[in-house]
Amino acid sequence: LKRQVTMLLESAENAADLDLSRLPMLVDKELSAQSRRQQAKGWDAGDAPDGDEAASAGKKRKKKAGEEKGGKRSKPSGKASDEDEDERLQEFITAGARLAQAPDVKGTAAGRRLSKPPKGKRGAAAAAAGGGGADGEAAEPDPLTVGMHVLVDSRRRKSDSLPDMWSPIPAAKPPAKSNVGEVSAVHADGTCDVALVCNDAAAGGKCGSQCRALTGPGSLVKGLVPPQWQIACSGCFGVNLPHALPKLWCLGCERLLADGVQFRRAPAVGDSAYDTSLCLDCYGKLFSKTQREPLLAVLQEGAPKLLQSDFALLTWRPEDEREHDDFVQCTECERWYHFVCAHYPSPGQLPRTWRVESELFVCTRCERGRHASPRLLALQTRRATDLPTCMLSDAMEASAAEALKEAGVSLPKPLVVRVASRKRLLFQAVKELKQRYGGGYATEFPYLSQAIFAFQEVEGRDVFLFAMYVQEYDADCPPPNTNRTYISYVDLVGYLASKPQGQRTAVYHALLHGYLQFAASCGFEHAHIWVAPPTAGVEYIFHGRPADPRPPMAVEVLRGWYERMLRGAEEKGIVRSWSTLEEHTSGLTSMRDFPLFDGDFFPDKVPEILERAEQSSSERRESPRGEKGKEKGKGKSPKMPSSPKVPSLLPRHKSMAIADEMKAEVHGAAYSFLVASLATAEEPIQPPREPDIGPRELVDDREHFHEMCVSRHWQSDELYRAHWSTMMLLAVLGGPPD
């Protein structure tokens, strides 16, 4: 297809002579071939791309899926790859096919234009005007209609190149004089007239007389040529809406690479979906005879096949890799909006079978009730209260409401608690412990994994502001995990609205009290809590948090927050006592009595602990205790028969050594864990076995959920972004909008 289209392009001397009538035939031919390949791969018909959208969306979605699966990495910098060239060519083919088939697409499914920021298209008209395009070719300005918002720079000359997303016209921010205007007339010669509006997006382009005196809206600028204007988002009055800066971790040592640091990157190997990025230290270890094997143990499966020649030396420039929000055009007024500004659900992040891209989008400035798609509106207006409730969510909501009432704290809008994921899993016993204790140690530990989310309506839209992941090992789980719950991660953002203001701690403590109270009523005896904050650059659950000038939170600060929560729970009779993990395990005499949890800090440490214990045990047997034994047996025959008790004493000796090493490991992490003894009910309630929620791949696993938030740009750094991210989350959790 690429070869045929290239020949077609080369046969035309200019764009005016380009025969577009053959493009639909070529596209249909290629799509038919793609369909046969998809069927051969066993794809569902509903999952495959359809229609004209397939040509441009297919590769984007496939590439995006690969990035999401890999997580924590971004595309390499440098010259565009062949795949990128193919993708751009495919987009051009699709655009040509639409142009040839449907010159007037307004109001049709194909007219739902989803694209990057509007930019100049190649053509002959701009050549006469002196505009320059890529590779020295002429560029044609974007189609302009009355009512669109544009950025104006009257200082630019007619011969200047057209502004685009890489070199946009900057938007003046208040109190600087506005350069945002609304198109009032479009002339046949390609010029336009623009009426300046207030550049305060929060005011919607309207302001009072005082603002007009400062920024000059209301002025009419006539006769603007294409290089002097650029289409802007009618929501924020900007061209580019940048997402959070990407981050890149070394796959070997998992360190965050700083801006300007050199690193090595190799392409994906085998079935891997992502590249291998290594800092220079780990790259050296990978090809070192003595340090290669430990590094291969943490890298992907195809790493042993990589050669030194596979790794390119690059410099990490996150600003060059930063992505920007997509645009959508209203089908009524034809204004352009960023997805986030329009509160438009991104079709590429939703199941293809929903066919969101085929729904009519109508902006809030137009008459939405008469023209907008009901299915699209259902996704845009879905609320957290639409998600199903359960016994735990009801108990946490009621407990929090009662606690806040007693504390004199009121909420303008109530908290909505929902269990987003409930899944029964098995934690396989650590292999080394099972080998040591055999039948005296369980093979697996069943538990219930739950993701608990809390929402609140803030400024008219729901905001996702609290998340907690827990593992519940009930009475049916073998010891030492019996009746223990593990609060593995808690994360929150500061958009909670309360009266008086600044009551976030009281509200979030009330939610935790509600959970602990429900757990105690169900028979759980201990609650283990991970209280260590994330290190700099690391996020637990929420992505793109609000900017905070303060240094990263110290362990003592977050630990103190949890201690105040437990003291409050103790005063209310929810918790009998609480202590550090070190105090809780101070009487440990055998490693088999130490509770281990799935994904916790300690299971990975067990092999190292056992190795140290073996060395310690050997040293003890050869210590002065052996000399005393010789001294005690002086004068006796040197050929004494061995005592039958020795074989049983040796394992006990080793067991104590293992327990001591485990205590030493706990001591090193003492500040990161707290253990609460719950006021367990004498007659625990036996809640009905509620069905699993899911499977919901998006939220079942905390790490995967965070990676999806990063790759999909579900950010919480500003309220309007938190609104859009919450809308997308609820869209996925709530299912199809039918």
Side-chain angles (χ1 to χ4, degrees):
L1 179 64
K2 180 179 178 180
R3 184 168 59 253
Q4 294 179 43
V5 173
T6 301
M7 294 172 59
L8 182 64
L9 296 177
E10 291 175 351
S11 66
E13 294 183 0
N14 54 52
D17 297 332
L18 182 61
D19 182 12
L20 296 175
S21 61
R22 292 178 57 194
L23 285 179
M25 177 188 68
L26 295 175
V27 173
D28 289 340
K29 180 179 178 181
E30 175 61 12
L31 291 180
S32 299
Q34 285 184 8
S35 178
R36 290 193 296 272
R37 289 195 295 269
Q38 291 162 7
Q39 292 176 2
K41 292 181 180 179
W43 287 9
D44 259 354
D47 290 335
D50 14 14
D52 291 337
E53 295 293 336
S56 61
K59 281 194 175 180
K60 285 185 177 179
R61 288 172 177 164
K62 185 175 181 181
K63 182 178 179 183
K64 192 69 173 179
E67 292 175 357
E68 290 176 357
K69 184 176 180 182
K72 292 202 293 189
R73 50 192 41 83
S74 56
K75 59 185 179 182
S77 58
K79 188 176 179 180
S81 64
D82 290 340
E83 184 179 352
D84 294 330
E85 294 288 346
D86 292 344
E87 184 176 332
R88 285 195 290 271
L89 181 63
Q90 196 80 334
E91 290 176 352
F92 179 80
I93 293 169
T94 306
R98 287 180 178 170
L99 188 61
Q101 288 179 315
D104 183 13
V105 296
K106 181 180 177 181
T108 67
R112 308 292 73 73
R113 283 174 273 186
L114 310 175
S115 70
K116 289 295 183 184
K119 55 185 178 181
K121 300 176 183 178
R122 298 184 181 185
D135 301 325
E137 297 184 27
E140 182 182 346
D142 294 303
L144 202 61
T145 59
V146 173
M148 282 186 181
H149 288 95
V150 295
L151 292 173
V152 176
D153 186 356
S154 56
R155 297 169 300 178
R156 296 171 65 93
R157 296 171 299 181
K158 185 177 181 180
S159 59
D160 288 344
S161 60
L162 295 177
D164 54 28
M165 65 177 295
W166 293 277
S167 56
I169 295 177
K173 301 297 182 183
K177 186 175 180 179
S178 174
N179 68 333
V180 180
E182 187 173 308
V183 178
S184 58
V186 180
H187 305 295
D189 61 355
T191 63
C192 66
D193 300 340
V194 173
L196 296 181
V197 300
C198 175
N199 55 357
D200 185 359
K206 300 177 181 179
C207 56
S209 58
Q210 182 179 5
C211 180
R212 278 197 291 272
L214 293 174
T215 62
S219 304
L220 185 65
V221 184
K222 294 185 176 182
L224 291 173
V225 294
Q228 295 176 330
W229 57 263
Q230 185 176 14
I231 295 176
C233 169
S234 293
C236 68
F237 298 153
V239 175
N240 292 332
L241 182 61
H243 295 306
L245 280 173
K247 298 176 182 178
L248 184 67
W249 277 264
C250 169
L251 283 182
C253 58
E254 297 186 351
R255 286 187 301 177
L256 184 64
L257 299 184
D259 187 2
V261 169
Q262 288 188 319
F263 70 102
R264 294 280 184 170
R265 171 175 277 157
V269 178
D271 295 333
S272 175
Y274 50 90
D275 299 338
T276 299
S277 298
L278 298 175
C279 67
L280 297 185
D281 289 342
C282 290
Y283 171 76
K285 293 178 182 178
L286 182 60
F287 298 102
S288 167
K289 294 182 179 180
T290 58
Q291 298 175 302
R292 177 178 173 84
E293 291 304 322
L295 187 61
L296 288 176
V298 299
L299 295 179
Q300 51 190 328
E301 293 182 1
K305 301 178 182 178
L306 293 172
L307 305 175
Q308 284 184 295
S309 58
D310 295 329
F311 285 87
L313 179 62
L314 303 171
T315 301
W316 174 238
R317 302 289 186 191
E319 190 61 51
D320 295 342
E321 307 293 334
R322 188 198 288 266
E323 296 183 357
H324 299 82
D325 199 21
D326 291 323
F327 273 72
V328 61
Q329 189 175 34
C330 175
T331 55
E332 293 297 315
C333 64
E334 296 190 352
R335 292 187 177 98
W336 289 92
Y337 293 87
H338 294 120
F339 282 13
V340 172
C341 299
H343 214 62
Y344 178 77
S346 176
Q349 299 178 14
L350 299 173
R352 299 178 188 177
T353 53
W354 294 11
R355 297 186 61 82
V356 175
E357 68 277 359
S358 66
E359 302 295 331
L360 291 172
F361 167 69
V362 180
C363 70
T364 55
R365 296 172 183 256
C366 302
E367 299 180 22
R368 301 183 65 169
R370 192 159 55 114
H371 302 286
S373 160
R375 298 180 73 248
L376 192 59
L377 282 176
L379 293 175
Q380 292 176 301
T381 58
R382 180 171 286 169
R383 309 305 294 262
T385 52
D386 297 333
L387 301 179
T389 63
C390 64
M391 291 184 64
L392 174 57
S393 64
D394 291 342
M396 289 182 66
E397 281 186 7
S399 176
E402 182 180 354
L404 294 176
K405 184 177 180 180
E406 293 176 357
V409 177
S410 63
L411 302 179
K413 295 294 181 179
L415 284 176
V416 178
V417 180
R418 291 294 183 267
V419 176
S421 171
R422 184 191 302 116
K423 195 173 183 180
R424 286 167 176 81
L425 300 172
L426 292 174
F427 171 42
Q428 299 296 328
V430 177
K431 180 178 64 174
E432 290 79 3
L433 290 180
K434 183 63 179 175
Q435 291 173 347
R436 170 163 178 78
Y437 296 110
Y441 195 74
T443 303
E444 55 192 19
F445 300 89
Y447 68 93
L448 183 67
S449 172
Q450 299 194 88
I452 305 165
F453 294 169
F455 305 82
Q456 187 190 31
E457 181 184 326
V458 181
E459 297 187 10
R461 297 186 183 276
D462 283 352
V463 175
F464 172 40
L465 43 75
F466 174 90
M468 179 168 68
Y469 278 80
V470 299
Q471 299 176 16
E472 296 180 349
Y473 299 80
D474 59 16
D476 295 331
C477 179
N481 288 16
T482 311
N483 285 331
R484 295 179 184 268
T485 180
Y486 175 40
I487 302 177
S488 57
Y489 286 96
V490 175
D491 202 4
L492 46 93
V493 289
Y495 293 119
L496 182 82
S498 64
K499 295 182 180 179
Q501 286 292 336
Q503 300 298 311
R504 294 197 303 269
T505 293
V507 173
Y508 296 138
H509 279 184
L511 286 175
L512 288 168
H513 289 168
Y515 172 75
L516 293 177
Q517 188 174 30
F518 183 80
S521 68
C522 294
F524 289 94
E525 299 172 355
H526 297 93
H528 295 245
I529 309 175
W530 167 258
V531 300
T535 56
V538 176
E539 299 168 329
Y540 279 165
I541 300 173
F542 290 94
H543 169 53
R545 309 174 66 85
D548 191 345
R550 297 175 297 179
M553 183 180 293
V555 177
E556 295 81 1
V557 176
L558 186 58
R559 177 191 170 95
W561 189 88
Y562 279 104
E563 288 177 344
R564 292 195 299 275
M565 183 274 295
L566 291 175
R567 277 195 290 269
E570 193 174 12
E571 293 172 359
K572 294 180 179 181
I574 301 173
V575 169
R576 288 198 178 97
S577 62
W578 55 274
S579 63
T580 66
L581 181 62
E582 184 177 18
E583 294 169 340
H584 182 71
T585 59
S586 59
L588 186 72
T589 59
S590 174
M591 183 66 184
R592 77 178 77 185
D593 298 327
F594 188 90
L596 298 172
F597 306 113
D598 199 359
D600 191 17
F601 171 79
F602 294 106
D604 290 340
K605 298 289 183 179
V606 168
E608 182 182 340
I609 291 171
L610 294 177
E611 183 179 350
R612 293 202 309 263
E614 185 68 30
Q615 295 174 354
S616 175
S617 177
S618 300
E619 291 172 0
R620 290 182 184 181
R621 291 202 308 272
E622 298 171 2
S623 67
R625 181 178 178 182
E627 296 296 330
K628 288 182 181 179
K630 292 180 183 178
E631 199 173 308
K632 193 173 182 180
K634 189 179 292 185
K636 296 184 180 180
S637 171
K639 295 184 179 180
M640 289 286 294
S642 59
S643 170
K645 294 183 179 180
V646 171
S648 61
L649 288 174
L650 187 58
R652 179 62 179 170
H653 185 68
K654 285 186 177 180
S655 184
M656 290 299 296
I658 294 172
D660 290 344
E661 289 296 332
M662 189 66 204
K663 290 178 184 178
E665 193 70 41
V666 170
H667 177 75
Y671 254 78
S672 301
F673 295 92
L674 293 174
V675 182
S677 297
L678 304 180
T680 308
E682 295 182 1
E683 296 183 4
I685 62 173
Q686 297 295 331
R689 184 183 176 93
E690 295 182 291
D692 290 1
I693 298 177
R696 285 176 171 166
E697 293 185 7
L698 176 67
V699 295
D700 283 344
D701 178 75
R702 190 275 316 174
E703 186 175 0
H704 177 73
F705 178 45
H706 175 257
E707 289 179 354
M708 291 297 100
C709 290
V710 172
S711 63
R712 298 179 178 188
H713 306 296
W714 293 1
Q715 299 174 205
S716 302
D717 51 346
E718 296 184 68
L719 182 59
Y720 75 98
R721 283 191 177 274
H723 281 152
W724 185 81
S725 301
T726 303
M727 176 202 68
M728 292 301 303
L729 174 63
L730 293 176
V732 175
L733 295 182
D738 303 327

